[in-house]
Amino acid sequence: AFTLLSMLVTGAAGQIAYSLLFSIAKGDVFGKDQPIILVLLDIPPMMTVLDGVVMELQDCALPLLKEVIPTDKEEVAFKDLDVAILVGSMPRRDGMERKDLLKANVAIFKSQGAALDKYAKKTVKVLVVGNPANTNCLIAAKSAPSIPKENFSCLTRLDHNRARSQVAMRCGVPASHVKNVIIWGNHSSTQYPDVHHCKVNMSGSELACFDAVKDDKWLTGEFISTVQQRGAAVIKARKLSSAMSAAKAICDHMRDIWSGTAEGEFISMGVYSTGNSYGVAEDLIYSFPVEIKNKTWKIVDGLTINKFSQEKMDATAAELIEERDTAVSYLAV
């Protein structure tokens, strides 16, 4: 006898949500016997589109989906939530300054953080997907002081999966044979995809990534830039941003929070940096390697960091500090 799980998806009329909702409602994330209430939030002009999404969810005839609540009101959307997936954000328009983008998103995530604080369960798990995800996540967390900072994370699992897949293709093995890649830092082109601790299963034996790939130049060059620029490459090709792969990464991220990570494996997610052992500045949402048990993440400690890695970890931290300071200055207004 499972109690109902109440979960919110924002930006619910958008294309990531369209790829995401079916997987969640079908039981791919919280398990095959976990009944779900789906709350779908979007802005008023999107309500008609959202009604279409609701019709389709009904037409999927899914046994676990007990109720679907479409709304444009925060007090309805955030009530008694167990899980919130914040996908909706202000997208960057052509010719838009980054600081204007930040300002618009601070307003959104300040408001949603306050709504989480006021209406959601204190145990709510919050995943921020809307970009700039790390900083949006930090603003939401700061705006919800009664919810533990540990309950907030941002999505870098898509970058993690991209890195894993690049290594797998290079070695000619399935992606499941590649583990413990790391995404450090910001979900932006300064992120650092690190394979110094990655293991590849080649015909039954586990090799260090550098020994499996046997191409240090590629691993310290083109591999990194491919992963960093992958989002832009998808937009260039499809004229739309990654939706199917983003939705899959959201499912992976939430499933791991819910069910835990496998023994000896870690995954990447953006989490609160205060108290980390890698010298990353405090009070950031920064992507680290984490292990998860009992719905609680823990940064993997004691990984050796060489000079090459340290420089890249510092560069992405510097960008996050600048983003945070700009965003926090708007928060005060």
Side-chain angles (χ1 to χ4, degrees):
F2 277 76
T3 52
L4 270 171
L5 184 90
S6 182
M7 71 162 295
L8 165 68
V9 176
T10 72
Q15 58 149 3
I16 290 178
Y18 192 76
S19 292
L20 172 68
L21 293 169
F22 177 69
S23 297
I24 290 171
K26 179 153 97 22
D28 289 353
V29 178
F30 301 105
K32 297 293 177 201
D33 8 277
Q34 175 60 67
I36 291 172
I37 297 175
L38 262 184
V39 189
L40 307 177
L41 177 70
D42 216 310
I43 54 176
M46 299 304 288
M47 284 302 107
T48 312
V49 176
L50 195 55
D51 284 337
V53 175
V54 173
M55 285 187 240
E56 282 206 72
L57 281 167
Q58 291 165 344
D59 298 348
C60 287
L62 296 160
L64 293 175
L65 188 57
K66 299 304 174 197
E67 196 181 351
V68 183
I69 304 168
T71 184
D72 56 6
K73 295 178 176 55
E74 286 185 340
E75 62 275 18
V76 175
F78 287 88
K79 189 101 188 83
D80 296 333
L81 292 179
D82 296 295
V83 176
I85 302 178
L86 309 183
V87 181
S89 64
M90 168 71 89
R92 191 167 185 170
R93 308 249 192 280
D94 264 355
M96 194 180 204
E97 290 285 330
R98 191 175 172 82
K99 61 179 192 305
D100 296 331
L101 182 70
L102 260 179
K103 196 174 210 170
N105 280 300
V106 166
I108 295 168
F109 286 87
K110 178 184 183 178
S111 176
Q112 295 189 349
L116 282 163
D117 201 58
K118 188 171 177 186
Y119 301 112
K121 293 181 182 168
K122 299 305 172 198
T123 52
V124 65
K125 301 291 185 194
V126 184
L127 166 58
V128 177
V129 179
N131 284 317
N134 299 58
T135 300
N136 287 345
C137 183
L138 186 65
I139 294 301
K142 284 180 178 294
S143 305
S146 71
I147 295 169
K149 296 270 187 287
E150 291 69 47
N151 291 21
F152 288 83
S153 57
C154 85
L155 190 75
T156 56
R157 185 57 169 268
L158 178 51
D159 310 299
H160 179 99
N161 288 348
R162 285 165 172 164
R164 201 175 171 186
S165 182
Q166 287 296 320
V167 170
M169 289 189 296
R170 193 78 177 191
C171 295
V173 300
S176 55
H177 287 205
V178 179
K179 69 175 192 189
N180 299 355
V181 301
I182 302 167
I183 304 295
W184 297 99
N186 200 359
H187 174 64
S188 74
S189 59
T190 68
Q191 63 175 262
Y192 170 42
D194 177 7
V195 289
H196 287 90
H197 305 279
C198 166
K199 302 260 193 296
V200 184
N201 184 330
M202 301 277 277
S203 50
S205 61
E206 241 182 29
L207 298 179
C209 183
F210 279 83
D211 297 334
V213 171
K214 296 192 180 71
D215 188 343
D216 293 12
K217 186 169 173 287
W218 181 76
L219 281 175
T220 54
E222 196 190 327
F223 160 74
I224 292 174
S225 56
T226 298
V227 175
Q228 288 173 330
Q229 304 292 337
R230 187 68 159 189
V234 171
I235 291 175
K236 192 165 184 277
R238 273 196 87 220
K239 312 289 176 267
L240 293 163
S241 58
S242 316
M244 180 180 14
S245 53
K248 158 65 164 58
I250 291 167
C251 290
D252 290 346
H253 179 117
M254 284 313 310
R255 188 189 309 108
D256 283 346
I257 286 181
W258 229 246
S259 311
T261 48
E263 196 58 48
E265 274 193 50
F266 47 77
I267 53 97
S268 307
M269 57 170 71
V271 295
Y272 198 56
S273 64
T274 298
N276 77 86
S277 63
Y278 291 103
V280 175
E282 311 236 309
D283 198 38
L284 296 172
I285 297 284
Y286 186 99
S287 181
F288 289 97
V290 301
E291 289 168 335
I292 305 169
K293 255 201 189 80
N294 309 323
K295 297 193 177 62
T296 308
W297 55 264
K298 189 179 150 304
I299 295 173
V300 177
D301 284 328
L303 299 172
T304 53
I305 306 294
N306 63 19
K307 188 169 173 292
F308 178 85
S309 294
Q310 191 62 59
E311 283 171 7
K312 293 195 162 7
M313 288 162 66
D314 291 347
T316 190
E319 182 182 58
L320 279 171
I321 289 166
E322 189 192 352
E323 259 184 45
R324 174 197 65 196
D325 293 349
T326 307
V328 167
S329 73
Y330 297 139
L331 199 55
V333 176

